[in-house]
């Protein structure tokens, strides 16, 4: 089995569809993806949250992560806006606590957040409260997150490439091609 860093570098270099941006920022990417995939391997459910502008990307992830043609185990994932369609009324820590209580009861505390969006969006506050979540944040530097620029003309392409690399990594772990040992 290869180690994750070596495997990731080879995957980036051998796939024309994955940007060298990730290679340049591999030390930001590797710990985050390793943590997220470790959670998946432990059986945790992904609770996906996006800002409003990236809702299309959230739908893309939800529909493609368990594509029948992938021939792999089904990954437990749910879009938070489908679970609780009133996300925009969650404006303070008390309401976030109530939402977390509902999620804890529903998922038996066996979930983690995957947030994709602007740091200025109030939805990020839901994910920021938990340590170890998978956060792709725009226009902000946040520890344990993967920062991107929302004004980058290639942002949508970068999101698709990041997702592709995440999905390739998930496959490699599921099929014991790489180890997440850190």
């Amino acid at each position: 089995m290869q180690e994750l860093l070596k495997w990731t570098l080879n995957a980036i270099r051998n796939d024309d569809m994955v940007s060298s941006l990730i290679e340049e920022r591999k030390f930001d990417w590797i710990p985050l993806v390793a943590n997220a995939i470790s959670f998946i391997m432990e059986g945790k459910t992904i609770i996906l949250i996006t800002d409003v502008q990236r809702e299309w990307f959230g739908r893309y992830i939800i529909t493609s992560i368990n594509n029948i043609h992938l021939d792999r185990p089904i990954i437990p994932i749910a879009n938070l806006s489908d679970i609780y369609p009133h996300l925009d009324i969650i404006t303070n820590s008390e309401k976030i606590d109530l939402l977390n209580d509902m999620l804890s009861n529903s998922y038996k505390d066996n979930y983690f957040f995957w947030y994709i969006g602007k740091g200025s969006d109030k939805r990020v506050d839901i994910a920021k409260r938990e340590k170890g979540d998978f956060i792709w944040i725009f226009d902000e530097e946040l520890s344990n997150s993967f920062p991107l620029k929302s004004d980058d003309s290639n942002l949508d392409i970068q999101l698709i490439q990041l997702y592709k690399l995440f999905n390739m990594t998930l496959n490699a772990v599921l099929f014991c091609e790489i180890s997440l040992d850190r």
Side-chain angles (χ1 to χ4, degrees):
M1 266 195 276
Q2 292 185 51
E3 66 173 26
L4 180 58
L5 176 60
K6 183 178 178 182
W7 182 91
T8 301
L9 291 175
N10 286 335
I12 293 167
R13 291 171 184 162
N14 294 325
D15 191 322
D16 294 335
M17 295 297 296
V18 178
S19 169
S20 62
L21 160 84
I22 304 164
E23 184 172 357
E24 294 166 12
R25 301 190 29 226
K26 62 188 169 279
F27 295 114
D28 293 330
W29 175 257
I30 298 292
L32 294 174
V33 77
N35 194 50
I37 292 177
S38 291
F39 284 159
I40 293 167
M41 298 304 288
E42 293 167 11
K44 291 187 178 192
T45 298
I46 303 166
I47 305 294
L48 184 64
I49 310 170
T50 66
D51 63 11
V52 174
Q53 292 89 348
R54 256 54 64 180
E55 285 179 349
W56 68 269
F57 188 56
R59 286 189 302 277
Y60 174 78
I61 291 170
I62 293 291
T63 58
S64 65
I65 200 164
N66 287 317
N67 185 315
I68 195 78
H69 301 293
L70 291 175
D71 199 26
R72 69 175 186 204
I74 295 173
I75 306 303
I77 187 168
N79 194 327
L80 187 57
S81 62
D82 291 337
I83 297 169
Y84 189 73
H86 308 289
L87 279 180
D88 294 326
I89 67 165
I90 297 180
T91 56
N92 59 41
S93 63
E94 182 179 317
K95 289 180 181 175
I96 292 173
D97 288 340
L98 290 171
L99 177 66
N100 282 333
D101 287 345
M102 183 269 298
L103 292 171
S104 293
N105 288 332
S106 299
Y107 295 97
K108 307 293 184 227
D109 288 322
N110 205 22
Y111 66 93
F112 69 99
F113 293 114
W114 180 358
Y115 176 78
I116 303 162
K118 287 188 175 184
S120 60
D121 192 285
K122 59 188 168 190
R123 294 179 183 187
V124 74
D125 294 335
I126 298 166
K128 276 185 178 178
R129 292 182 64 185
E130 301 295 323
K131 297 291 182 211
D133 290 316
F134 197 33
I135 298 177
W136 300 1
I137 197 159
F138 308 149
D139 307 328
E140 183 176 319
E141 292 292 325
L142 179 66
S143 65
N144 297 319
S145 70
F146 195 80
L148 297 158
K149 301 288 183 197
S150 65
D151 62 354
D152 188 322
S153 61
N154 293 317
L155 177 62
D156 291 350
I157 294 166
Q158 290 172 359
L159 289 173
I160 301 267
Q161 291 171 340
L162 285 168
Y163 173 71
K164 181 177 183 184
L165 183 60
F166 170 79
N167 205 34
M168 290 167 46
T169 308
L170 180 58
N171 275 344
V173 171
L174 285 169
F175 297 117
C176 299
E177 295 171 17
I178 58 174
S179 169
L180 294 179
D181 295 334
R182 298 177 223 172

